[in-house]
Amino acid sequence: EHFACPISIAGEATLSLQAERWIGVAKGVDNALFVQLGVGVGAGLLVDGVIQHGADGAAGEIGLMPYPVSRPDGSLELTSLESLASGAALKRRGSALAATPAGAQLLALASGDPAAVDAATVFAAARADDAAARGLIDEQITYLAWGLSCLACALNPRQIIVGGGLSRSADLFFDALRDRVNATVPFAPDWFLSALGDEAVALGKERGYAQTLFG
């Protein structure tokens, strides 16, 4: 209604995967999983050379995958994966930890305000060898490894590519995440950090525009 041209809409992870196929680490690869780790969690799915969108355009919404957690009474409830493993989850848990004696270093880094703790604060504390912050990151890896193992078993990707804002601190979790996933799947994929960083989404849009123009 507003633009005199074709319009297509895609999620960040799908656009990032498109960019990685164009000029990144997925060039020449036909089966890959791009994992977007940021405030939430998403994925781009490349299967047999075709990026998958799903019946409703929601393929790759892995942050909404139901994860079973135990209630205090011993029963199980299902919660979304990204409520346990994402930048938002790390902020929430970090803020709660900073309000306890074990979170003293987090509190200091946040200038005494637990509400000011975010994922970057947790990573900074972990770099300073704070055991509590490292524990939070390890918990996130456990949840995320479960989700990625399920996808790897279902899709058998040649590559898993990790991108998004949290990937800037991948030195604190990348190896552990890779090792946990690869130990649980029948065919271990190759792992890469995004070669394009924060530019991946924009480059994916550019690639889509070029495809529209030139086919």
Side-chain angles (χ1 to χ4, degrees), residues 116-181:
V117 172
D118 58 13
T121 313
V122 176
F123 286 131
R127 292 186 194 285
D129 205 27
D130 181 67
R134 287 185 175 272
L136 288 182
I137 295 170
D138 189 67
E139 285 181 2
Q140 296 245 338
I141 293 170
T142 298
Y143 298 130
L144 193 57
W146 172 85
L148 297 186
S149 294
C150 292
L151 283 175
C153 286
L155 300 174
N156 184 207
R158 177 65 60 207
Q159 293 182 345
I160 293 181
I161 306 161
V162 178
L166 296 189
S167 70
R168 290 192 291 267
S169 296
D171 58 298
L172 293 170
F173 64 82
F174 183 87
D175 289 351
L177 180 60
R178 176 199 62 207
D179 292 347
R180 291 187 194 185
V181 172

Side-chain angles (χ1 to χ4, degrees), residues 18-33:
Q18 186 162 271
E20 293 290 349
R21 288 195 76 203
W22 179 26
I23 52 176
V25 297
K27 287 181 68 174
V29 174
D30 287 334
N31 292 276
L33 169 63

Side-chain angles (χ1 to χ4, degrees), residues 36-42 63 82 85-88 166:
Q36 186 95 359
L37 302 180
V39 174
V41 179
E82 69 182 9
S86 64
L166 296 189

Side-chain angles (χ1 to χ4, degrees), residues 53-104:
H53 300 282
D56 299 293
E61 291 290 346
I62 64 172
L64 302 181
M65 290 173 64
Y67 187 95
V69 295
S70 297
R71 291 173 171 167
D73 63 4
S75 63
L76 292 177
E77 67 174 327
L78 297 178
T79 188
S80 67
L81 179 63
E82 69 182 9
S83 72
L84 302 171
S86 64
L90 205 53
K91 172 180 173 58
R92 186 181 67 254
R93 292 189 170 201
S95 294
L97 180 61
T100 71

